[in-house]
Amino acid sequence: MLDEIDRGLVQALHIDGRAPFSRIGAVLGVSTQTVARRYRRLCAQASLRVVGLAEPRHAGRVQWLVRLTAGPHTAQDLAHALARRSDTSWVRLASGGTEILAVIQTPADASDGHALLLHDIPRTAGITAVSAHCLLHTYLGGPTAWRGRAGALSERQRRQLEPRRDESAESRPLADADHSLLTALAHDGRASHADLAAATGWSPATVARRLADLQASGALFFDVDMNDTLLGATAQALLWMSVAPAHLDRVAHTLAGHDELAFVAATTGPTNLVAQALCPDPGALHDYLTRRLGALDAIRTLESAPVLRTVKAAGPSAGPAASLPRGASPGRRPAR
């Protein structure tokens, strides 16, 4: 388990993944050396990694939450193949290891940008069922950290770490020249200006200016990949809910205020609200489902899919990209 300094460091990195250790130390009331030592230990023991991510709307991307069912002998291979693709994130094995959940990003304005959804996945051997749910609106997640990671710092400490924002720049799209920078940041959000300059062909000064602009406009945010069991979250589940449209926004805002949830989004499909629950143990998850969610009458149906393992989190996986195995599979149903 992590102590208060570790938790403060994790929250600080989520607020600004590139904040200097000296500034984090000043906010936490410890030395720069202590912050650096704790950071290295968390990287080694908690698989901590800071990743810089493009906000999908600024990047002209649409996110899809895809559920795949496969035979137990092929599900892990499929999950790892999906994890090695650059257009996927949050690849998880759930429901006894036979269900794969993944977030897939596609271009918002390209008619041929859905190859994985329309061509690769339907032709993949071993898949017995597919459903794809477009993420219409995210109420919790992305730039907003799970409260299990966000309770260590005071409001004053948070303000000291927050990067400068320019609300007038909210609508500025990303430029083509930003892609190399964002690709490098997705692998290492704390890469030095010199390393980012080498990846982009820009000067370090240009890199510094563009980073500041992207953060100020909200086009770039930072996430922290780590083992959340060290924060006490040993029971994880994806929750698929059906809510009457008239009540969807109200219910989603209510769920976004629940400490047990790390992600809440409205989706297309028969279940129009999805959430990720992180709880200390199965008993706590049961209490959450039956008491807090059970008290919301507007939730008409609820399906829970326990997450067994996260194969890929927000950042890219190591290793070369993999093609999905091709071929027909007896009994495979087409995507709808």
Side-chain angles (χ1 to χ4, degrees), residues 86-149:
S86 62
D87 53 359
T88 66
S89 59
W90 297 112
V91 180
R92 298 178 173 94
L93 284 168
S95 303
T98 58
E99 182 176 7
I100 304 164
L101 304 162
V103 173
I104 296 173
Q105 294 201 19
T106 63
D109 58 355
S111 59
D112 60 348
H114 297 81
L116 182 58
L117 293 174
L118 299 178
H119 183 267
D120 294 353
I121 287 177
R123 293 185 58 188
T124 299
I127 294 178
T128 57
V130 181
S131 64
H133 309 256
C134 183
L135 296 183
L136 301 176
H137 183 77
T138 300
Y139 292 86
L140 177 65
T144 307
W146 170 49
R147 287 179 180 80
R149 296 183 180 183

Side-chain angles (χ1 to χ4, degrees), residues 12-13 16-24 161 190:
L13 291 171
D16 183 359
R18 297 187 62 81
F21 289 154
S22 57
R23 180 151 61 96
I24 295 176
L161 289 162
R190 292 189 64 84

Side-chain angles (χ1 to χ4, degrees), residues 229 232-237 277-283 285 307:
T229 61
T234 63
Q236 301 188 28
L278 300 175
C279 296
D281 53 52
L285 177 60
V307 175

